[in-house]
Amino acid sequence: MDKLKIAIQKSGRLYEDSIKLLKDCSIEINIGIDKLKTTALNFPLEILFLRDDDIPQYLEDGVADIGIVGKNVLLEKRKRIKIKETLGFGKCRLSIAVPKSLSYNNIKDLDGKRIATSYPFLVREFFKKRYINAEIHEISGAVEIAPGIGLADCICDLVSSGSTLFMNGLKEVETVLQSEAVLASHLHLDSTQNIIMEKFLFRIRAVKKAKDNKYILLNVSNEKLEKIISYLPGIKSPVILPLANTECSSVHSVVNENDFWGIIENLKALGAQDILVLPIEKIIL
Ligand code: ATP
Ligand code: MG
């Protein structure tokens, strides 16, 4: 039986979430001691564990068929590969940061500065578009210490909370890119590989959709029922069930995580009681 090869990060920030994604898609794997590759037990997938920087090249060459990698790495490497789906984890931004003591008004203040980064291509493009002349110093790690040791005046690096910048006396001044993990693929998969990838994507989308939504149950007295029904979206429309107490009904629906608290407040104002909120495992439409 043909298998699809997926490349995921061997260790690091994307590792746990990549493994969890497989698990949420009901794909079982045993991770061996050497952790170079493994085969899924119940899905035609072989998993290769690699450094994230190498994944785009392996995808271009077809050593791996699909892979999970940050958009930041993918755009920096500029390999000929296809993005199939954004995955909603590994969220961060590629940002420019300067020493706290530097007074910063706008991007022109970066003109003529030395900037240390592991993302020379993305930084060069960012400056080129804004007609800024900066001197780019490519370094492969610990970029945040560069200004402190006199290697550069400022940096461009990945940020999520900003605490690393803060600890190194830096402040974030410009965002170059918003990033998250994506599923990318080799450009020319054969038909069997395509079928397996589509099956995998189908599961990923069901899991993603479920994560974005919550199942809610509430009770409401019958005279307020109409208002609640017209307010609640639901996937098609809400479910209404009678209660043993015939003056009230139970309403079930699905609401989006993003507007969740707003919806709950409005439901309460419309007379909803005993609101229960449950996670959803998968949504298949
Ligand atoms: P490797 O050993 O595989 O080369 P690495 O050290 O280059 O790993 P990690 O620090 O593990 O990389 O980050 C992997 C990816 O996680 C990044 O490329 C980025 O897409 C994402 N990420 C999310 N949040 C952050 C963050 N705060 N800092 C760095 N990367 C982040
Ligand atoms: Mg790396």
Side-chain angles (χ1 to χ4, degrees):
M1 171 75 177
D2 280 336
K3 288 188 174 19
L4 193 70
K5 283 186 243 145
I6 182 170
I8 67 170
Q9 197 189 16
K10 185 172 161 56
S11 62
R13 292 176 194 263
L14 300 181
Y15 173 75
E16 299 279 341
D17 285 327
S18 302
I19 296 289
K20 181 160 186 304
L21 178 70
L22 295 180
K23 198 169 162 235
D24 290 345
C25 291
S26 315
I27 298 173
E28 286 174 41
I29 59 167
N30 278 331
I31 299 167
I33 323 156
D34 63 345
K35 223 172 90 172
L36 291 175
K37 65 175 184 178
T38 188
T39 305
L41 304 174
N42 56 356
F43 194 79
L45 200 64
E46 191 167 287
I47 298 105
L48 311 179
F49 298 96
L50 298 165
R51 293 246 354 238
D52 70 341
D53 317 63
D54 298 334
I55 291 177
Q57 182 70 60
Y58 282 123
L59 287 176
E60 183 177 272
D61 296 344
V63 173
D65 306 311
I66 56 173
I68 297 176
V69 68
K71 217 178 194 173
N72 51 306
V73 171
L74 195 128
L75 295 178
E76 174 67 27
K77 301 283 181 191
R78 285 163 295 139
K79 299 296 173 193
R80 297 177 56 243
I81 57 183
K82 234 188 284 179
I83 293 184
K84 301 301 294 185
E85 188 72 37
T86 56
L87 299 175
F89 61 83
K91 287 192 176 163
C92 57
R93 51 197 186 274
L94 183 64
S95 287
I96 296 175
V98 302
K100 264 183 223 143
S101 53
L102 192 97
S103 84
Y104 185 90
N105 301 308
N106 60 46
I107 193 151
K108 292 202 187 76
D109 294 334
L110 296 173
D111 213 28
K113 294 277 192 288
R114 295 168 305 159
I115 180 160
T117 186
S118 308
Y119 295 86
F121 172 74
L122 292 175
V123 175
R124 195 165 291 122
E125 288 288 292
F126 180 81
F127 283 140
K128 207 160 84 188
K129 278 194 196 133
R130 291 158 182 81
Y131 306 103
I132 302 296
N133 243 319
E135 201 182 295
I136 296 171
H137 288 255
E138 181 179 355
I139 52 176
S140 61
V143 173
E144 65 282 357
I145 65 167
I149 59 174
L151 186 71
D153 305 305
C154 54
I155 68 161
C156 181
D157 203 8
L158 296 175
V159 184
S160 45
S161 69
S163 60
T164 310
L165 293 183
F166 183 79
M167 281 183 323
N168 285 281
L170 299 167
K171 62 181 176 191
E172 196 175 346
V173 293
E174 300 286 342
T175 307
V176 173
L177 175 80
Q178 293 285 352
S179 183
E180 68 180 282
V182 297
L183 185 83
S185 86
H186 178 62
L187 286 188
H188 308 289
L189 297 183
D190 68 27
S191 59
T192 315
Q193 291 167 331
N194 249 317
I195 290 170
I196 305 172
M197 182 177 70
E198 286 305 326
K199 282 190 175 172
F200 184 41
L201 278 170
F202 181 81
R203 294 190 187 191
I204 291 177
R205 287 173 188 143
V207 168
K208 261 179 70 178
K209 226 179 177 56
K211 278 205 187 103
D212 290 345
N213 290 281
K214 297 269 182 267
Y215 192 81
I216 81 165
L217 302 88
L218 59 90
N219 292 332
V220 63
S221 64
N222 289 338
E223 76 259 22
K224 295 180 179 161
L225 188 58
E226 274 311 312
K227 276 205 173 123
I228 296 271
I229 297 172
S230 56
Y231 176 70
L232 262 185
I235 289 188
K236 290 217 165 41
S237 71
V239 177
I240 317 292
L241 296 172
L243 294 186
N245 165 358
T246 52
E247 281 157 25
C248 292
S249 298
S250 168
V251 180
H252 298 200
S253 190
V254 171
V255 298
N256 194 281
E257 173 87 74
N258 292 333
D259 10 278
F260 177 75
W261 288 109
I263 291 175
I264 297 291
E265 279 163 21
N266 291 339
L267 284 173
K268 273 189 79 73
L270 292 173
Q273 295 173 340
D274 319 322
I275 304 175
L276 301 183
V277 180
L278 307 174
I280 301 172
E281 198 172 303
K282 313 234 175 1
I283 295 184
I284 295 140
L285 298 178

